[in-house]
């Protein structure tokens, strides 16, 4: 027979691992400097301006 498992320890270890994973994700998501956020916004705005400038029609829904 195998050794008995303490389910409380298993449950707590699983919760701790999930909490640590969530912390890693939040550090990546929210742990950015203002300069990084500004740079990303500027890049996104540039892409939007470039794609809007290459449209053949003003409104993409006018394809009818």
């Amino acid at each position: 027979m195998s050794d008995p498992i303490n389910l409380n320890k298993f449950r707590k270890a699983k919760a701790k691992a999930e909490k640590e994973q969530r912390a890693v994700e939040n550090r990546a998501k929210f742990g950015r400097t203002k300069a990084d956020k500004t740079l990303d916004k500027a890049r996104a705005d540039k892409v939007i301006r470039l794609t809007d400038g290459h449209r053949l029609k003003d409104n993409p829904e006018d394809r009818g």
Side-chain angles (χ1 to χ4, degrees):
M1 293 187 82
S2 64
D3 293 328
I5 299 172
N6 188 338
L7 295 178
N8 284 331
K9 286 185 180 180
F10 178 76
R11 178 181 48 83
K12 288 180 181 182
K14 182 179 175 186
K16 185 176 180 179
E18 289 173 354
K19 188 175 180 180
E20 180 60 31
Q21 179 62 32
R22 190 169 44 241
V24 168
E25 291 171 0
N26 283 339
R27 281 194 294 267
K29 187 175 180 181
F30 298 110
R32 299 172 41 207
T33 64
K34 186 172 183 177
D36 288 340
K37 293 176 189 176
T38 306
L39 181 62
D40 286 346
K41 176 142 176 51
R43 286 179 178 163
D45 290 344
K46 183 177 180 181
V47 168
I48 290 171
R49 278 186 280 121
L50 288 174
T51 55
D52 285 346
H54 287 89
R55 290 183 192 250
L56 295 177
K57 296 180 180 180
D58 291 334
N59 194 352
E61 288 82 23
D62 290 340
R63 295 182 184 179

